[in-house]
C-alpha cells in the first residue's frame, strides 16, 4: 500500500466547524441588540487544546432580525492567548481584544441562521474561554430580544419551521460534509485505543471504518483485522451517538493493490461482476436506508488503486503483471466508476477518491497523468464528476503535512534542493502544498470547482526528540534537507509500519484553503502489514517492505524499510505501534 514511484526527473473558505471531538471549553450563551433592529445571538465557543496551542470553533446563531453583515467581538481572559490564523472570518487582535468580521460570502445571517468560524491560537499558563461576546457592538445574552421584533418578519426571513441555510434538510447535500458536524467514534477502535496506557487521550477522535472484503459488510467477529460490527451496525451506532458524519473506506477492487502484497484482496482481477453485485450493491442498499438520512455518509474510494495504473504498469521500473491486467481489463477504472455512480446517487452520501501522496505522484511525469486517470474513472460506468465530492491524499501513509524548514524553491550554495537524494527532483516537499496544487489541477481538467481535499494525518506528526527544530546545515543540499526535514523516514518510498512516526493533526474541518478536513482514515494502531509471513484467510499476503531486515528495492532506492518488528497482518491491532505513535505525536499529547 502507498507505493512510491519516481519515473522522471482554489480555494474555498467556508463557515465551518471543527470535526474534532476532543474538546475543552464550553457553551457560552450571551445577546445582541442592534440600534436599528432587534438583534439577538447565542455563541458556542469550543476548543481543542494541546500544550501551547489550540483550535477554537465559534458558532454564532442569530436569534433576532436578519443581518446583512456582522462583527463578533470578545476578550481573551489571559494576556498570553493569541489568534495565530483563522478562517471563515476576517480576524484581528489588539491586546486581549479580538474581532472577527464576516467575509464577503457569509455576511448575510437570517433570523434563526447560524454561521461557524474558527481559528488556531497559542497560549501559555492556561487557556480559559472568553466570558462575553458582542455582535455588531451589542452584548449577547442568548435571551429574547430586548426590543420587540416587527410583527411581520421581512420577506427574506425563513419561516420558523424552515431549517436555517447552514443546516439543510436531511438528505440534501452540503458543500463540505465535515463542516458543522460531529464525527462518528468507532467503539471498536476506541476500545482498542483505551487498552493501551494513555490511549484515552485520543480515543474519542473520529476514525474511518474499513470495509475491506465482502464479509465485512455484515461484520467479521472472528477476524483479526475487522471487528464484529458491520456497515449497518456502525450506522446505527452513529445515530445513537448523535454523530453528524461517518466515514467508510470502500476497499475491495478486483486484483486489489496490484503492486504490493500486504493488502491484496479476496477478488481476482476478473471479478468485477462480483465486486458490483456482492460488494458495492449491498453497501449502497444499506447506506440508502431512509433511517440514515440524517447522517452524512462519507466514502473513501479505493485506496491506491488508480495511481497504480499510471506508475506500476509495463514500461515503468517495477511494473507488475497484475497492474497490467487490471489496466487492460478495466477492472479498476470501471469498478471505481460503478462505486461512484451507485453510492453517489444517494442524497446524503459523499465520495472522496484516493489520490496517493506527494512522494508518489509529485513528479511532473506522474502528476498530470494521475489526474487524467482519476477523471477517466470518475466518468466510467455511468458516473459523472458530480459524484465526486473531492479527493484524499496520504491515506495510511506518513508524509509530513508541512515541512517548515524546507521549501521546494530553496537552494544551497547555488544548487536546488530538488537535487537532494530525499526530494529527488519531486515538485513538492509536503502533503499540504501537494494537495492544494493537485486540487487546482483536478479542477482544470473538468472536476467541479467546489471539490475539496482530505489529508490523512493519522500518522504523519513526526514529533518526539528526533523532530528537527530548524534548518539543516548548508554544507550540501543533502545535509540541508536531511537535517531539517520533519519526515524522518529512511526513504520517502517506505510505507509500512514506520519506526519513529507519530500521530499528526487531530481531525478537524477546513484547516486550510481547499482542504475539507484533516482526517484519521487509517485508524492509528492498525498494522500496515506483517513483519514476517503470517498465514490468514483474509487474502492478505506478506510484503518484504514490512520486513525491518529487508534491504529494499528500486522503489525505495535499495534502502532499509524502516518498518517496526513483530507486526501483525494488515488491519490487525498493533499496540506497540500505537504506543509509539502517541509518544511521537505532533502536536504533542498532554
Amino acid at each position: 500500500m502507498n507505493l512510491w514511484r519516481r519515473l522522471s526527473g482554489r480555494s474555498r473558505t467556508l463557515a465551518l466547524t471543527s470535526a474534532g471531538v476532543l474538546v475543552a471549553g464550553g457553551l457560552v450563551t450571551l445577546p445582541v441588540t442592534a440600534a436599528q433592529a432587534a438583534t439577538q445571538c447565542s455563541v458556542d465557543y469550543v476548543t481543542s487544546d494541546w500544550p501551547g496551542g489550540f483550535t477554537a470553533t465559534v458558532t454564532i446563531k442569530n436569534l433576532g432580525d436578519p443581518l446583512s453583515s456582522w462583527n463578533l467581538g470578545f476578550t481573551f481572559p489571559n494576556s498570553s492567548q493569541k489568534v495565530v490564523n483563522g478562517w471563515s472570518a476576517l480576524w484581528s487582535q489588539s491586546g486581549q481584544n479580538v474581532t472577527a468580521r464576516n467575509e464577503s460570502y457569509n455576511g448575510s445571517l437570517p433570523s434563526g441562521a447560524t454561521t461557524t468560524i474558527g481559528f488556531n491560537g497559542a497560549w501559555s499558563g492556561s487557556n480559559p474561554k472568553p466570558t462575553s461576546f458582542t455582535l455588531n457592538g451589542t452584548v449577547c445574552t442568548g435571551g429574547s430580544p430586548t426590543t420587540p421584533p416587527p410583527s411581520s418578519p421581512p420577506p427574506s426571513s425563513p419561516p420558523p419551521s424552515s431549517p436555517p441555510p447552514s443546516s439543510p434538510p436531511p438528505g440534501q447535500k452540503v458543500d463540505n460534509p465535515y463542516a458543522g458536524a460531529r464525527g462518528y467514534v468507532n467503539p471498536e477502535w476506541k476500545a482498542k485505543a483505551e487498552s493501551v496506557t494513555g490511549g484515552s487521550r485520543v480515543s474519542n477522535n473520529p476514525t474511518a471504518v474499513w470495509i475491506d472484503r465482502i464479509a465485512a459488510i455484515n461484520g467479521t467477529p472472528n477476524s483479526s483485522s475487522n471487528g464484529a460490527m458491520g456497515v449497518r451496525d456502525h450506522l446505527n451506532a452513529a445515530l445513537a451517538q448523535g454523530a453528524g458524519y461517518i466515514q467508510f473506506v470502500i476497499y475491495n477492487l478486483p486484483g486489489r493493490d496490484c503492486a504490493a502484497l500486504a493488502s491484496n484482496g479476496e477478488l481476482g482481477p476478473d471479478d468485477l461482476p462480483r465486486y458490483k453485485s456482492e460488494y458495492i450493491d449491498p453497501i449502497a442498499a444499506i447506506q440508502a436506508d431512509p433511517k440514515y438520512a440524517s447522517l452524512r455518509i462519507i466514502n473513501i474510494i479505493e485506496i491506491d488503486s488508480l495511481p497504480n495504473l499510471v506508475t506500476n504498469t509495463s514500461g515503468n521500473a517495477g511494473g507488475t503483471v497484475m497492474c497490467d491486467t487490471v489496466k487492460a481489463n478495466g477492472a479498476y477504472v470501471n469498478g471505481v466508476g460503478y462505486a461512484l455512480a451507485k453510492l453517489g446517487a444517494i442524497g446524503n452520501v459523499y465520495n472522496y477518491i484516493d489520490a496517493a501522496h506527494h512522494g508518489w505522484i509529485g513528479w511532473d511525469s506522474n502528476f498530470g497523468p494521475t489526474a487524467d486517470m482519476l477523471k477517466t474513472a470518475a466518468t466510467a460506468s455511468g458516473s459523472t464528476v458530480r459524484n465526486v465530492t473531492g479527493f484524499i491524499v496520504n491515506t495510511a501513509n506518513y508524509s509530513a503535512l508541512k515541512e517548515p524548514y524546507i521549501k521546494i524553491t530553496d537552494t544551497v550554495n547555488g544548487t536546488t534542493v530538488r537535487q537532494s537524494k530525499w526530494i529527488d527532483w519531486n515538485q513538492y516537499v509536503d502533503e499540504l502544498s501537494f494537495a492544494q496544487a493537485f486540487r487546482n489541477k483536478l479542477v482544470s481538467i473538468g472536476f467541479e470547482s467546489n471539490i475539496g481535499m482530505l489529508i490523512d494525518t493519522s500518522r504523519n506528526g513526526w514529533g518526539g526528540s528526533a523532530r528537527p527544530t530548524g534548518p539543516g546545515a548548508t554544507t550540501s543540499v543533502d545535509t540541508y534537507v536531511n537535517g531539517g526535514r520533519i519526515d524522518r523516514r529512511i526513504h520517502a518510498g517506505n510505507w509500512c509500519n514506520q519506526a519513529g512516526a507519530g500521530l499528526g493533526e487531530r481531525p478537524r474541518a477546513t484547516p486550510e484553503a481547499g482542504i475539507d478536513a484533516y482526517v484519521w482514515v487509517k485508524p492509528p494502531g492498525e498494522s500496515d502489514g506483517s513483519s514476517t509471513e503470517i498465514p490468514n484467510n483474509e487474502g492478505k499476503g506478506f510484503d518484504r517492505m514490512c520486513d525491518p531486515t529487508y534491504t529494499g528495492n528500486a522503489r525505495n532506492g535499495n534502502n532499509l524499510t524502516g518498518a517496526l518488528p513483530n507486526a501483525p497482518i494488515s488491519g490487525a491491532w498493533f499496540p506497540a505501534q500505537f504506543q509509539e505513535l502517541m509518544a511521537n505525536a505532533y502536536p504533542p499529547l498532554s
Side-chain angles (χ1 to χ4, degrees):
M1 180 184 292
N2 294 288
L3 301 177
W4 169 86
R5 282 294 300 119
R6 176 206 183 285
L7 298 184
S8 70
R10 135 119 175 140
S11 84
R12 293 181 300 168
T13 312
L14 301 170
L16 303 176
T17 188
S18 169
V21 297
L22 288 179
V23 297
L27 176 67
V28 180
T29 306
L30 299 161
V32 156
T33 308
Q36 71 276 19
T39 307
Q40 288 284 333
C41 79
S42 64
V43 176
D44 187 8
Y45 180 96
V46 179
T47 67
S48 177
D49 296 7
W50 60 88
F54 67 103
T55 295
T57 300
V58 186
T59 301
I60 308 164
K61 184 172 184 179
N62 181 16
L63 302 176
D65 289 348
L67 299 176
S68 59
S69 64
W70 49 264
N71 187 323
L72 182 75
F74 61 87
T75 300
F76 280 134
N78 186 330
S79 62
S80 73
Q81 294 170 294
K82 305 293 181 186
V83 173
V84 177
N85 56 67
W87 50 90
S88 301
L90 301 174
W91 292 89
S92 62
Q93 181 172 352
S94 176
Q96 293 173 233
N97 300 317
V98 178
T99 60
R101 292 187 294 110
N102 64 271
E103 295 274 13
S104 59
Y105 62 84
N106 65 353
S108 176
L109 202 60
S111 300
T114 62
T115 189
T116 303
I117 59 180
F119 65 90
N120 291 324
W123 60 275
S124 63
S126 62
N127 188 35
K129 65 180 181 292
T131 58
S132 179
F133 296 85
T134 64
L135 192 65
N136 294 352
T138 305
V139 178
C140 290
T141 61
S144 301
T146 55
T147 302
S151 57
S152 298
S156 60
S157 300
S161 60
S162 298
S166 59
S167 302
Q172 179 178 318
K173 277 191 168 65
V174 297
D175 188 47
N176 179 352
Y178 291 88
R182 175 172 173 260
Y184 168 63
V185 178
N186 181 349
E188 294 181 314
W189 178 79
K190 176 180 170 68
K192 293 174 185 176
E194 292 178 353
S195 71
V196 177
T197 302
S200 60
R201 294 173 295 175
V202 296
S203 61
N204 285 318
N205 276 293
T207 56
V209 176
W210 288 58
I211 309 300
D212 63 356
R213 57 195 185 282
I214 293 168
I217 297 171
N218 293 320
T220 54
N222 297 318
S223 166
S224 60
S225 60
N226 276 107
M229 297 173 68
V231 173
R232 190 174 291 279
D233 298 320
H234 284 291
L235 289 166
N236 290 338
L239 290 178
Q241 284 183 16
Y245 71 83
I246 183 172
Q247 305 165 100
F248 291 102
V249 176
I250 306 301
Y251 187 50
N252 198 31
L253 275 176
R256 187 180 73 194
D257 218 348
C258 63
L261 297 172
S263 47
N264 286 163
E266 64 186 351
L267 299 180
D270 297 318
D271 280 340
L272 184 58
R274 286 191 65 200
Y275 176 79
K276 293 179 178 180
S277 64
E278 298 180 38
Y279 181 69
I280 294 298
D281 288 356
I283 293 174
I286 296 171
Q287 293 187 352
D289 189 329
K291 176 180 181 181
Y292 308 120
S294 63
L295 282 169
R296 300 174 186 177
I297 301 174
I298 297 164
N299 291 317
I300 308 299
I301 304 295
E302 296 297 350
I303 309 305
D304 291 346
S305 60
L306 298 172
N308 271 321
L309 302 186
V310 175
T311 66
N312 291 312
T313 51
S314 293
N316 301 314
T320 71
V321 172
M322 181 63 80
C323 288
D324 285 343
T325 300
V326 293
K327 183 175 183 178
N329 69 10
Y332 279 15
V333 165
N334 289 309
V336 169
Y338 185 83
L340 291 171
K342 192 80 175 183
L343 299 169
I346 305 168
N348 57 312
V349 165
Y350 302 80
N351 295 321
Y352 290 83
I353 308 176
D354 186 81
H357 53 90
H358 90 274
W360 184 351
I361 62 170
W363 289 271
D364 292 336
S365 55
N366 298 344
F367 191 85
T370 299
D372 292 338
M373 184 63 70
L374 296 171
K375 174 74 175 299
T376 298
T379 53
S381 299
S383 181
T384 73
V385 295
R386 293 184 65 84
N387 291 316
V388 181
T389 305
F391 298 82
I392 181 170
V393 299
N394 205 48
T395 310
N397 208 59
Y398 299 87
S399 296
L401 178 66
K402 300 177 183 178
E403 286 287 0
Y405 309 122
I406 306 169
K407 297 191 300 293
I408 200 65
T409 54
D410 288 347
T411 59
V412 177
N413 302 322
T415 302
T416 173
V417 295
R418 292 185 66 208
Q419 290 186 234
S420 67
K421 291 180 181 178
W422 173 260
I423 298 175
D424 193 22
W425 294 104
N426 201 307
Q427 293 282 14
Y428 303 94
V429 296
D430 56 34
E431 283 305 293
L432 178 59
S433 62
F434 167 73
Q436 291 171 324
F438 199 55
R439 177 187 177 276
N440 291 339
K441 176 64 175 178
L442 292 161
V443 171
S444 76
I445 64 170
F447 283 98
E448 297 197 326
S449 61
N450 67 334
I451 58 169
M453 305 297 287
L454 306 178
I455 302 177
D456 189 349
T457 59
S458 58
R459 303 182 302 179
N460 70 346
W462 295 104
S465 60
R467 184 179 177 89
T469 57
T474 56
T475 310
S476 68
V477 291
D478 287 321
T479 58
Y480 178 77
V481 170
N482 289 333
R485 60 183 168 91
I486 299 302
D487 188 336
R488 305 312 297 169
R489 286 177 292 177
I490 297 170
H491 190 275
N494 291 348
W495 54 265
C496 192
N497 300 325
Q498 291 299 285
L503 301 172
E505 289 279 353
R506 313 326 174 229
R508 58 188 172 96
T510 56
E512 298 280 353
I515 310 299
D516 277 355
Y518 294 152
V519 293
W520 282 8
V521 164
K522 177 68 172 181
E526 291 190 1
S527 174
D528 295 318
S530 58
S531 303
T532 58
E533 186 170 4
I534 299 176
N536 65 88
N537 61 0
E538 300 178 26
K540 295 173 181 177
F542 168 55
D543 196 303
R544 289 299 304 278
M545 290 299 291
C546 299
D547 177 358
T549 69
Y550 182 48
T551 54
N553 53 40
R555 293 195 185 109
N556 82 330
N558 298 109
N559 287 283
L560 285 168
T561 65
L564 292 169
N566 306 313
I569 65 170
S570 175
W573 185 243
F574 190 6
Q577 182 196 48
F578 186 61
Q579 188 69 61
E580 183 168 298
L581 290 171
M582 290 193 294
N584 294 327
Y586 193 89
L589 300 179
S590 56

